[in-house]
Amino acid sequence: MNDRPHTVSVSTSDRLSAVLSGAVRRVSVILWRKPGLSAGLLLAPPLGWFLLIYIAALAALFISAFWTTDSFTGEIDRTWTLSNFQAIFGSETYRLIALRTIFMAAAVTITDVILAFPFAYFMVRLASQRQRVALFTLVLVPLWSSYLARVYAWRLIFAHEGVLNWVLHGLGFQSIEIGYTNWAMWIVFSYIWLPFMIMPIYAALERIPYSLFEASLDLGAKAWRTFFKVILPLAMPGVVAGSIFSFSLTLGDYITPVLVGGPGSDFIGNVVYANVGIANNVPFAAAYASIPLVVMGLYLMAARRSGAFDVM
Amino acid sequence: MMNLTRTLAAGISLGTAIAFSASAFAAPAAPNYPQTIGKGEGALNIVAWEGYAEDSWIKPFEKETGCVVNRKYAGSSDEMVTLMRQGGGGEYDLVSASGDASLRLIYGGTVQPIDVKLIPDFENFVPDLKAPPHNTVKGLHYGLSYEWGPNVLLYNTDKIAAAPTSWSAIYDEQYKGKVTVPDNPIQIADAALYLAVKDPSLGIKDPYELTEKQLDAVVALLKQQRSLVKKYWALASDEIELFKNGDVVIGAAWPYQTITLKAAGAKVADTIPTEGATGWADSWMLSAKTKHPNCAYKFMAYVSTPAVQAQQALYFGETPANMKACEEMDKAEAGSCAKYHLDEATTYIKKIKFWKTPQKTCSDGSQTCTDYSVWQRKWQEVKG
């Protein structure tokens, strides 16, 4: 083996690494002197991703909301117009569907708070360690099964010859026709999003020191007063955090209305789906889809004020 | 802050660019017939209804021609239209379009005329399906008819003893809360078909050509019907479950639901009432930008043969366009040719008003008809 090329290659790589390490040192010095720059470099990839995927998509959505579609050929007509928004706000049907969606989201949220609060309180304060583990499992196990499977299960429960009526008959009651109604939707939504309410409330309650309860009682407050003046205000951020989940998840859902809803059960999501899928009217769908966006924006602003994001 | 605004602006312009890139053209494509069917290109991409490209007849085709068939199933007519236009067209070669999609594909310039001389079985087709208005424009065959069938009135024979003779049954108070109809704007045509007979003063001649006044009358009837409806079904399986669980006793359906329910032992039957029925007629359509024209023509010739038409008909519960398929059907299932009315196809087909896309221009050339987007909006009003 010839020695010379070997030596040459070593010296080149040495020189190269010296140059490189010098460059690295210089860069690190600059970054150390200007912390803003290093933070910027670290944030650039995720921020770029966020802007490209999220903001650009939203921008495209908003822009196309002001276009129209040629109803026959399905080609998009890019003349700026407010006609989509006029159609939405001028039509009783579309106003009703938007209100129905928002009202259902609110009803489900309130129901879940009422169900989740005592449950979470029991888990934090009264349950033994073993009971707590068991309850945690009970809350989380449904999340392991598919959302669709659980909705279909409810459909079978509510059916005319379903489990519910079978039980009612067995107990000697009249059968009830609850399947394919808004009541059925309310029950299914409340069931499906309940774990998302229990978890944040549990986290919030767990952070309240027990000494505060004792102090309240020592100072002569009765149980209800301790609840309203001490526990509830301190647990409020957890309640709001949970409500963001249940509210936004209900607001954006369109599968449950298709599966368990009856006539007059369409949500905003169903109208969007129908306009994209059936009518091929993407601009109108985009205009209608901006309603939940605005509602959710307002909701999040209100939630931020209450400090809910501290416990999330 | 300055940077952020600039990045935002870049994001917005990018979004706009994406949205703009979809090309805009809208005129039927001109014919571009091949002289003969050449050697296959080795592949064929098709968009089809589920059940329209089963292995039992696709595999032999692949073996025979060397064209590997890549299948994409679509759930709705509109999905088919979207898929065929995707990426500027040309991603898919063939589509099994129904009559409510075919005209949109033609006028959107998405599909091209087919030379029926290259399809040997074309001459055996039911005469009404050789150049039907839903796939033939100005004498050019943009679609090759495939299979067809009626939308039927399905009912529970335990609860309803005598077969209903009129569509009035699904508008009847006595079945309040026990009725189901499809969740589809084209359902307006079904109601129009019934009203055309019940209220001749409205002057409805074609259920797919409704003036604003006629449409309002139909929508009023459908809004009345809403209080009787248990559920507007979106999937065939929804309706099957509704009948099985006793949630409904009567409804508008496809023969497919009847076959499936009967096979599961449910007590149901279907009928075509005296007013007639709406129905579907599917056509194979060739993309204007197809990359595998030889395989596409080979495929169209193959699926038009009596044997494949019979297999398809029995698999899905529908009627072939090829009248020669009768023998093959009876061979596979005795009496099935008569069951699907292929033996009397030329007269039976007249009872059916096939789906077609409602347009603003009526067939007499006037602009007084209501188009599909209006129907879609009205349908949303009906179901709320």
Side-chain angles (χ1 to χ4, degrees), chain B residues 75-295:
Chain B
S76 69
S77 286
D78 302 279
E79 198 184 338
M80 286 189 167
V81 174
T82 311
L83 284 171
M84 290 307 285
R85 286 184 183 149
Q86 191 171 287
E91 273 183 42
Y92 297 97
D93 303 301
L94 284 172
V95 58
S96 66
S98 292
D100 57 335
S102 50
L103 287 181
R104 280 186 273 164
L105 288 167
I106 296 170
Y107 286 106
T110 319
V111 293
Q112 59 170 309
I114 296 162
D115 188 359
V116 293
K117 284 196 217 96
L118 296 173
I119 315 292
D121 273 291
F122 183 75
E123 57 179 272
N124 303 324
F125 279 13
V126 180
D128 280 4
L129 289 176
K130 283 189 175 169
H134 61 255
N135 72 21
T136 304
V137 173
K138 292 182 185 138
L140 294 172
H141 302 275
Y142 287 86
L144 183 69
S145 291
Y146 189 43
E147 308 257 336
W148 52 284
N151 295 316
V152 294
L153 180 61
L154 176 66
Y155 61 98
N156 182 326
T157 48
D158 265 350
K159 303 278 168 33
I160 302 169
T165 55
S166 165
W167 283 107
S168 64
I170 58 170
Y171 305 99
D172 191 336
E173 282 285 333
Q174 69 165 311
Y175 301 123
K176 193 176 166 84
K178 297 279 177 195
V179 176
T180 185
V181 291
D183 184 0
N184 188 334
I186 212 78
Q187 190 61 28
I188 289 174
D190 284 66
L193 186 72
Y194 164 66
L195 266 192
V197 176
K198 192 196 164 218
D199 189 357
S201 67
L202 283 168
I204 299 173
K205 288 193 198 82
D206 181 335
Y208 302 96
E209 292 189 358
L210 303 177
T211 63
E212 227 160 276
K213 190 169 150 263
Q214 291 166 340
L215 182 65
D216 285 345
V218 174
V219 167
L221 173 72
L222 286 167
K223 279 185 175 165
Q224 238 177 309
Q225 185 196 34
R226 191 186 122 158
S227 64
L228 316 177
V229 171
K230 181 76 179 180
K231 177 151 186 70
Y232 293 100
W233 60 269
L235 303 165
S237 57
D238 280 350
E239 187 173 36
I240 291 167
E241 203 185 305
L242 287 164
F243 269 92
K244 253 192 214 161
N245 289 327
D247 279 307
V248 301
V249 299
I250 195 161
W254 306 328
Y256 170 78
Q257 278 91 306
T258 319
I259 293 172
T260 313
L261 278 164
K262 277 184 174 165
K267 298 259 190 306
V268 295
D270 65 21
T271 176
I272 295 187
T274 51
E275 293 94 354
T278 61
W280 75 92
D282 296 336
S283 314
W284 285 106
M285 304 185 103
L286 179 63
S287 166
K289 295 187 180 164
T290 175
K291 292 183 188 109
H292 311 102
N294 291 333
C295 277

Side-chain angles (χ1 to χ4, degrees), chain A residues 71 73 258 261 264 266 277-278, chain B residues 20 78 85 231 241 247 371 383:
Chain A
S71 59
T73 59
V258 168
D266 275 1
I278 296 173
Chain B
F20 265 103
D78 302 279
R85 286 184 183 149
K231 177 151 186 70
E241 203 185 305
D247 279 307
D371 67 19
K383 63 187 189 124

Side-chain angles (χ1 to χ4, degrees), chain A residues 3-66:
Chain A
D3 263 350
R4 215 189 289 164
H6 186 70
T7 346
V8 169
S9 92
V10 165
S11 73
T12 326
S13 81
D14 272 356
R15 219 175 295 149
L16 193 68
S17 75
V19 170
L20 267 181
S21 70
V24 168
R25 209 177 303 134
R26 251 181 316 233
V27 168
S28 76
V29 166
I30 293 170
L31 287 181
W32 187 80
R33 285 214 186 114
K34 298 188 173 172
L37 186 65
S38 75
L41 280 176
L42 279 172
L43 280 175
L47 210 63
W49 178 255
F50 178 78
L51 282 173
L52 193 72
I53 301 299
Y54 206 74
I55 307 286
L58 279 183
L61 180 94
F62 269 120
I63 291 168
S64 59
F66 294 95

Side-chain angles (χ1 to χ4, degrees), chain A residues 47 51-52 55-57 59-60 63-64 67 70-76 78 83-84 87 91 93-94 96-97 100 152 155-156 158-162 177-181 257-266 270-271 274-281 284, chain B residues 4 7-8 11-12 14-16 19-26 76-79 81-82 85 103-104 107-108 159 177-178 183-185 226 229-232 234-235 237-238 241-242 244-247 357-359 371-374 376-377 380-384:
Chain A
L47 210 63
L51 282 173
L52 193 72
I55 307 286
I63 291 168
S64 59
W67 289 340
D70 181 315
S71 59
F72 188 62
T73 59
E75 307 287 354
I76 288 174
R78 297 183 178 83
S83 67
N84 288 329
S91 148
T93 311
Y94 292 117
L96 181 71
I97 291 170
R100 175 190 299 141
Y152 268 112
R155 194 152 97 152
L156 291 177
F158 290 141
H160 179 71
E161 287 165 16
E177 294 290 331
I178 199 175
Y180 308 110
T181 61
V258 168
L259 294 181
V260 295
S265 291
D266 275 1
N270 298 97
V271 174
N275 274 284
V276 174
I278 296 173
N280 195 23
N281 191 346
F284 186 83
Chain B
L4 182 67
T7 332
L8 261 177
I12 290 169
L14 182 79
T16 329
F20 265 103
S21 65
S23 63
F25 59 88
S76 69
S77 286
D78 302 279
E79 198 184 338
V81 174
T82 311
R85 286 184 183 149
L103 287 181
R104 280 186 273 164
Y107 286 106
K159 303 278 168 33
K178 297 279 177 195
D183 184 0
N184 188 334
R226 191 186 122 158
V229 171
K230 181 76 179 180
K231 177 151 186 70
Y232 293 100
L235 303 165
S237 57
D238 280 350
E241 203 185 305
L242 287 164
K244 253 192 214 161
N245 289 327
D247 279 307
T357 316
Q359 301 173 55
D371 67 19
Y372 190 63
S373 71
V374 178
Q376 201 270 335
R377 212 150 283 181
Q380 187 70 61
E381 274 177 34
V382 166
K383 63 187 189 124

